[in-house]
Amino acid sequence: MGHRLLLFVFLYSLPGILAQESAEATVIVKGSATVAETDKNFVCATIDWWPPEKCNYDQCPWGESSALNLDVDHPFLANAIKAFKSLRIRVGGSLQDKVVYGLSNLGHPCLPFTKMEDGLFGFSQGCLSMDRWDKLNDLFRKTGAIVTFGLNALHGRNHIRNKVWAGPWNSTNARDFIEYTISKQYPVDSWEFGNELSGHGIGASVDVELYGKDLVGLKAILDELYENSDSRPSLLAPGGFFDHQWYGQLLQISGPGIVNAMTHHVYNLGAGNDHHLIKKILDPKCLSQAADIYRGIQLTIQRHGPWASAWVGEAGGVSNSGGRHVSNTFMNSFWYLDQLGMASKYNTKVYCRQTLIGGNYGLLDTEKFVPNPDYYSALLWHQLMGRGVLSVDIDGSPSLRVYAHCAKQEAGVSVLLINLSNTTKSIVTVQNDINVNLGEKDGIQKDSYFVHGLKKTVSWLGRKPLDGSQKREEYHLTAKDGNHQSQTMLLNGSPLELTEDGGIPALNPAYVSVNSPIKMAPMSIAFVVFPNFEARACA
């Protein structure tokens, strides 16, 4: 009996014992030069058009989160945007190509979307009234938001077969809307032409030559209307899924000086009813597949339109409103932060998260307006990760993902570490490449997650040894009660929750001796800021 009891206790304790396993890893940050650069407002979030009737998989998770009905006076919403000081917000989404603008000469009543069986995505045309546009801009102004607005690129076209639309774009309504926006001095930073019309399209598609011709026409309208303005907005296109041939042709057809940024969408985890979402999020190989998209658009721009930059105009990971009990939980931050790190390495300037609020993937809870875990992940990135992207070499498990940038608010380097393992702690040493002999035979590979047996003499943070009094900042993110599908995230062990007056809590670091290794718990994320890291690129 006693032996059986001991065996039971051992088996019961086995997961905890395994969880205490640890693996050492070495990260070398190459601070001599940046490999890419992001926009200073890299983090972006979307406000979509979906009405409450938008449903998937017997769920209707949108509520009152549309640009047409969102409670713009809710204090939690304003506080969440203000915390970024300059959050980029993209107003757009699937229904934007059925939105008309309610100017006095519209010619018919300005009505919201309604269910319509043969309509685009099952909805009728909808209308943005100027009163509603005024209210949205009140929110943007008081919170310091930087606005991207997606225009209706199907207006005036004819639906000829399947998803194909033909005929010229009728720009009259859009022109009147832009003119109204200028007259009210609403500072729209960029205008985007259409949503998911590229390639084969999603709900609709437009031939690239026709689309390119109309894009040139829109640019001429912007040049004319903003001629006497102090600032000129950017023009973005096409807001679709990357198609190498279509994107390359668009750049060639439109030519230099037309499109400022090529926007593309990323939903690399599949549909919201996929039962393998969590497995995909924690699979390094699955996560790394998205690099092909970023590399592809980077090369397309280099070859066909070096005057343009790459933006992720919309990314929710999981399509069709996101994954219930996944996209709004701590688990999703493994995907989201890895995406931000990966996209930035390929010179992506802006990354717009679907959504700020709405669906299962909102940064804010649709009903209560309180932040979900990814909100704090986005805010920490925005506060800590600067524009300059640095290359890293890694000797460690594939489950350890690492990204490095110049620090945001100070000299030095910020490192993002993601431990995907649910059993193994990572003991991470971060080193500088200044004294690394890269000529050795068994040298490590650039940005490799599969390198083992690193045996080199390297410097710690610079050429001179540091004394133990110097500190680094650490921001460790874990799930409440170890439940990785919790909607509560812990920062250095303390839950991140709104203050009593609805304010965003302070995101305070732990200060750790700069010479000590970083200890990463299983299934955890850490931002680490090295204020005295010797990196010439970040000087």
Side-chain angles (χ1 to χ4, degrees), residues 32 137 196 253 267 299 363 432 508 512:
S32 58
N137 277 279
E196 297 179 351
I253 291 166
Y267 288 92
L299 291 174
L363 296 181
N432 195 305
N508 296 320
V512 181

Side-chain angles (χ1 to χ4, degrees), residues 429-477:
T429 300
V430 176
Q431 298 176 324
N432 195 305
D433 72 330
I434 291 176
N435 292 333
V436 177
N437 181 3
L438 295 178
E440 291 187 16
K441 182 177 179 180
D442 298 322
I444 60 177
Q445 299 298 311
K446 179 180 180 181
D447 284 333
S448 173
Y449 291 92
F450 304 93
V451 180
H452 299 282
L454 176 65
K455 295 180 180 179
K456 291 186 179 297
T457 302
V458 297
S459 65
W460 169 236
L461 293 177
R463 298 182 185 277
K464 298 179 181 180
L466 299 171
D467 62 50
S469 64
Q470 293 182 308
K471 304 292 183 182
R472 64 174 183 250
E473 300 174 9
E474 292 190 1
Y475 304 78
H476 288 265
L477 303 176

Side-chain angles (χ1 to χ4, degrees), residues 348-385:
T348 302
K349 301 303 182 184
V350 172
Y351 192 104
C352 296
R353 168 60 180 264
Q354 174 83 340
T355 61
L356 173 62
I357 186 167
N360 291 311
Y361 37 33
L363 296 181
L364 304 179
D365 181 83
T366 303
E367 295 180 359
K368 300 178 182 178
F369 286 70
V370 299
N372 285 320
D374 280 0
Y375 171 86
Y376 294 110
S377 296
L379 185 56
L380 278 167
W381 178 287
H382 182 73
Q383 292 179 349
L384 302 176
M385 304 293 276

